[in-house]
């Protein structure tokens, strides 16, 4: 075992999201809700700047598999990584297993305590810490009772896993063809979507089952007000997306943003604004960001512009919007978050 940590760290679990999306190629990225590891009050994933991954504690796992993941972290079951003592901390959001690469760490007991050490990026059965180790991450020593309590509470209700967010979206509008395309795209990312023209006869329990409700651009103000009132009367916590963008990948991003329940102080992307023909992005921690511009040309064809794709430091960043004339939108994406902003016609 390496040198002991100098002091104890607190251990907890916090809801997190990997937003899905529609790529310019038409391929889908899967929406995943999971529990991140909160160490000393901060999500561990935020310390890994360029990592698109989820923890093993994902909401869409079956109860038995979810329980097995919990028991591996409690050292009650063997892990899938042959290297002795290692457990998967973060893995690929699109598939299971370490074949695509995973962040692993040695998880071991030291007396009553649990210790996480020797974090590394792993693609084979063994780990080369000199080449693939994460310097500056850990080791972490957790008081045993706190660590066990945080994980064992996930098994207290029959290993049902974490409470899954309402991954259902209600699309309301008159343009059935456009909403049908959007619903298909949402389902491709793993989000359930249904279409209706109004909610006049909907039961309150049904309205409360949605995480977001999106209103088409063709709805009048009277219809919008009626929808807002129906969801309020039902006691729904669904987020309203008022005025869907007329571009499917962009509308998916709008809905993903609405489904994000992560506390503001735990987000990587804090703000996305426009100022005098520029996009202004405020980033909380170093991370890789993809900034994409969308617009419709005069023939209503979608035009996509890759504005930026690279690493950003924490702080405020300004990007030019060359070629973004007329009505347009900008989408910023990173691990765990997506932000959208509409550009006013110029």
């Amino acid at each position: 075992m390496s040198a002991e940590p100098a002091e104890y760290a607190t251990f907890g679990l916090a809801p997190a999201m990997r937003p899905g999306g529609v790529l310019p190629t038409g391929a889908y990225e899967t929406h995943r809700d999971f529990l991140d590891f909160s160490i000393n009050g901060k999500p561990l994933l935020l310390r890994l700047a360029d990592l698109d991954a989820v923890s093993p504690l994902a909401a869409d796992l079956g109860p038995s598999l979810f329980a097995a993941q919990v028991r591996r972290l409690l050292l009650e079951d063997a892990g899938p990584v042959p290297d002795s003592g290692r457990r998967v901390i973060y893995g690929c959001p699109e598939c299971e297993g370490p074949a695509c690469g995973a962040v692993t760490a040695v998880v071991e007991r030291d007396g009553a305590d649990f210790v996480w050490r020797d974090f590394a990026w792993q693609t084979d059965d063994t780990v080369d810490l000199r080449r693939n180790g994460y310097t500056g991450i850990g080791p972490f020593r957790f008081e045993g009772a706190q660590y066990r309590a945080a994980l064992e509470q996930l098994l207290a209700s029959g290993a049902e896993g974490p409470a899954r967010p309402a991954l259902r979206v209600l699309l309301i509008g008159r343009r059935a063809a456009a909403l049908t395309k959007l619903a298909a795209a949402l389902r491709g990312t793993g989000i359930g979507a249904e279409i209706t023209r109004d909610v006049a006869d909907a039961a309150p329990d049904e309205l409360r089952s949605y995480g977001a409700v999106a209103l088409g651009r063709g709805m009048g103000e009277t219809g919008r007000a009626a929808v807002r009132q129906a969801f309020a009367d039902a006691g729904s916590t669904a987020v309203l997306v008022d005025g869907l963008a007329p571009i499917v990948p962009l509308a998916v991003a709008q809905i993903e943003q609405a489904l994000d329940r992560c506390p503001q102080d735990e987000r990587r992307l804090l703000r996305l604004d426009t100022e005098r023909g520029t996009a202004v992005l405020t980033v909380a921690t170093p991370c890789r960001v993809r900034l994409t511009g969308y617009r419709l040309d005069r023939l209503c064809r979608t035009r996509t512009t890759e504005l930026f794709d690279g690493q950003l430091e924490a702080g405020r960043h300004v990007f030019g919007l060359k070629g973004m004339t007329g009505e347009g939108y900008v989408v910023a994406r990173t691990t765990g978050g997506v932000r959208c902003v509409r550009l006013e016609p110029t």
Side-chain angles (χ1 to χ4, degrees), residues 53-129:
V54 299
S55 84
L57 305 179
D60 53 354
L61 297 178
S64 61
L65 183 55
F66 183 88
Q69 299 289 3
V70 173
R71 293 191 175 102
R72 286 169 183 167
L73 293 171
L74 289 168
L75 302 182
E76 296 174 359
D77 286 350
V81 183
D83 193 3
S84 177
R86 288 198 162 267
R87 298 293 188 270
V88 172
I89 306 301
Y90 296 108
C92 175
E94 300 290 343
C95 63
E96 297 180 11
C100 294
V103 176
T104 66
V106 174
V107 178
E108 61 188 1
R109 291 189 186 91
D110 185 14
D113 299 337
F114 284 79
V115 176
W116 288 15
R117 63 175 175 86
D118 295 344
F119 286 78
W121 178 252
Q122 185 168 354
T123 56
D124 299 315
D125 290 349
T126 59
V127 170
D128 186 339
L129 291 176

Side-chain angles (χ1 to χ4, degrees), residues 100-297:
C100 294
V103 176
T104 66
V106 174
V107 178
E108 61 188 1
R109 291 189 186 91
D110 185 14
D113 299 337
F114 284 79
V115 176
W116 288 15
R117 63 175 175 86
D118 295 344
F119 286 78
W121 178 252
Q122 185 168 354
T123 56
D124 299 315
D125 290 349
T126 59
V127 170
D128 186 339
L129 291 176
R130 287 178 296 180
R131 292 183 55 189
N132 298 316
Y134 283 98
T135 59
I137 305 294
F140 301 113
R141 176 181 292 274
F142 306 117
E143 195 276 327
Q146 182 192 49
Y147 181 87
R148 283 187 169 280
L151 291 170
E152 287 177 349
Q153 69 177 348
L154 300 178
L155 306 178
S157 58
E160 294 179 356
R164 183 183 175 96
L167 279 186
R168 296 179 68 210
V169 177
L170 185 62
L171 309 177
I172 306 177
R174 305 289 179 181
R175 300 177 61 188
L179 294 181
T180 298
K181 292 179 181 178
L182 175 56
L186 288 168
R187 292 167 190 149
T189 69
I191 297 174
E194 284 115 34
I195 301 170
T196 188
R197 293 176 67 111
D198 61 61
V199 293
D201 299 322
D205 286 349
E206 180 69 11
L207 297 184
R208 287 193 294 270
S209 71
Y210 294 101
V213 53
L215 306 181
R217 287 157 60 104
M219 290 189 65
E221 185 51 44
T222 300
R224 294 172 186 272
V227 170
R228 294 190 195 99
Q229 191 61 53
F231 274 82
D233 291 345
S236 168
T237 60
V239 177
L240 179 70
V241 180
D242 195 350
L244 283 169
I247 300 169
V248 169
L250 178 57
V252 171
Q254 288 179 304
I255 290 170
E256 287 280 5
Q257 178 174 323
L259 291 172
D260 190 351
R261 299 295 196 269
C262 182
Q264 182 69 17
D265 62 353
E266 295 180 3
R267 296 180 179 181
R268 281 191 167 119
L269 304 180
L270 297 180
R271 290 183 61 88
L272 178 62
D273 304 291
T274 57
E275 294 179 4
R276 297 184 295 276
T278 64
V280 182
L281 178 65
T282 304
V283 179
T285 62
C287 58
R288 183 171 182 172
V289 174
R290 186 169 75 239
L291 203 67
T292 308
Y294 296 92
R295 66 181 181 89
L296 293 176
D297 65 15

Side-chain angles (χ1 to χ4, degrees), residues 317-331:
H317 304 271
V318 180
F319 302 90
L321 300 176
K322 183 179 180 180
M324 293 291 294
T325 59
E327 181 183 359
Y329 302 80
V330 176
V331 175

